[in-house]
């Protein structure tokens, strides 16, 4: 019996201010370890990983890490359109990064239209709070924002791995649920969701193997 390498491919984008932890979050999710030194993203970095949703369906995630700096906006905007999900990332020790989330959300909606993306609000660096750094974004205020907009919210730490897997899994599961409900479909000309590929006979398969990162810039 021929098994699929993956059943669907979903394209997700991480957006938020510079230095909030987007790259570290992605590197932990794809490599399973924390990067002690992480240079600011220049333009867009690309990662990929295969995971399974609850019924065993295999999903390949294309993960696009965007630069938060204003000078790269013209580059990163072109990557919104073909995304089906967006992780809105902020730093729990940086109030300004949370206050800018509505801007990032509005920008994503505008550029992803006519499709309606799955959003998740992701707080990073909770390990810093436990080590004594003052928390500037309360769990209650972030939860209230998420509930008001009808989106998923979770707090994470790329240093310890706390809730990193859960953040990406939640978005992936919701996209798949919308496929099952008929809200999302595979469409020609849209890379947000693509049909999968079958595995040639004798080819080995590693569910958690990540592809190397690629950087796209000016």
């Amino acid at each position: 019996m021929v098994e699929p390498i993956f059943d669907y491919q979903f394209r997700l984008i991480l957006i938020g201010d510079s230095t909030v932890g987007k790259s570290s979050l992605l590197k932990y999710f794809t490599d399973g370890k924390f990067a002690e030194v992480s240079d600011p993203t220049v333009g867009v970095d690309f990662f990929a990983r295969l995971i399974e949703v609850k019924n065993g369906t295999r999903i390949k995630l294309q993960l696009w890490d965007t630069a938060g700096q204003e000078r790269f906006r013209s580059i990163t905007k072109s990557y919104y359109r073909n995304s089906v999900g967006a992780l809105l990332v902020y730093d729990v020790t940086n109030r300004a990064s949370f206050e800018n989330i509505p801007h990032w959300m509005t920008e994503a909606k505008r550029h992803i239209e006519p499709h309606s993306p799955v959003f998740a609000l992701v707080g990073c660096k909770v390990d810093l709070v436990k080590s004594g750094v003052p928390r500037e974004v309360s769990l209650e205020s972030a939860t209230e924002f998420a509930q008001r907009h009808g989106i998923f919210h979770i707090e994470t730490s790329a240093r310890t791995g706390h809730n990193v897997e859960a953040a990406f899994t939640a978005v992936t599961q919701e996209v798949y649920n919308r496929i099952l409900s008929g809200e999302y479909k595979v469409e020609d000309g849209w890379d947000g969701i693509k049909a999968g590929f079958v595995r040639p006979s004798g080819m080995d398969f590693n569910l958690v193997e990540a592809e190397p990162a690629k950087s796209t810039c000016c």
Side-chain angles (χ1 to χ4, degrees), residues 3 55 68 129 154 168 215:
E3 294 183 11
N55 68 353
V129 176
I154 196 167
F168 290 94
S215 181

Side-chain angles (χ1 to χ4, degrees), residues 23-205:
S23 298
S24 295
L25 195 71
L26 264 177
K27 288 175 182 176
Y28 191 95
F29 180 63
T30 55
D31 295 343
K33 57 186 178 182
F34 176 69
E36 291 292 343
V37 178
S38 182
D39 295 327
T41 300
V42 178
V44 178
D45 280 345
F46 167 77
F47 298 78
R49 192 186 135 178
L50 290 152
I51 66 172
E52 288 186 358
V53 290
K54 288 182 179 178
N55 68 353
T57 299
R58 291 168 172 168
I59 309 294
K60 178 180 179 180
L61 297 180
Q62 274 197 350
L63 303 159
W64 297 87
D65 177 21
T66 64
Q69 299 99 319
E70 182 67 34
R71 68 182 184 274
F72 294 122
R73 295 291 171 82
S74 61
I75 299 170
T76 59
K77 284 178 182 178
S78 64
Y79 289 88
Y80 280 100
R81 179 182 172 272
N82 281 313
S83 298
V84 69
L87 280 71
L88 303 163
V89 185
Y90 67 96
D91 176 354
V92 300
T93 68
N94 182 339
R95 181 71 190 180
S97 70
F98 177 70
E99 292 176 345
N100 287 334
I101 288 296
H103 162 75
W104 290 106
M105 190 174 190
T106 298
E107 187 169 78
K109 286 180 178 179
R110 183 171 68 250
H111 292 289
I112 295 175
E113 287 182 348
H115 300 95
S116 176
V118 171
F119 283 109
L121 179 64
V122 182
C124 288
K125 305 185 183 181
V126 291
D127 56 281
L128 294 182
V129 176
K130 294 182 179 180
S131 66
V133 177
R135 174 190 279 270
E136 294 188 1
V137 183
S138 69
L139 178 61
E140 292 75 17
S141 60
T143 299
E144 189 277 330
F145 177 91
Q147 290 176 343
R148 179 158 29 99
H149 291 277
I151 64 177
F152 175 76
H153 170 249
I154 196 167
E155 290 189 341
T156 67
S157 167
R159 181 176 293 276
T160 67
H162 177 67
N163 279 341
V164 173
E165 190 88 9
F168 290 94
T169 300
V171 175
T172 305
Q173 184 68 55
E174 178 59 23
V175 173
Y176 182 66
N177 290 345
R178 295 188 187 188
I179 292 175
L180 294 180
S181 70
E183 181 177 347
Y184 287 162
K185 296 179 176 64
V186 177
E187 300 178 20
D188 291 339
W190 184 48
D191 289 337
I193 299 172
K194 298 180 74 173
F197 295 94
V198 297
R199 171 173 50 174
S201 178
M203 177 180 175
D204 290 333
F205 178 79

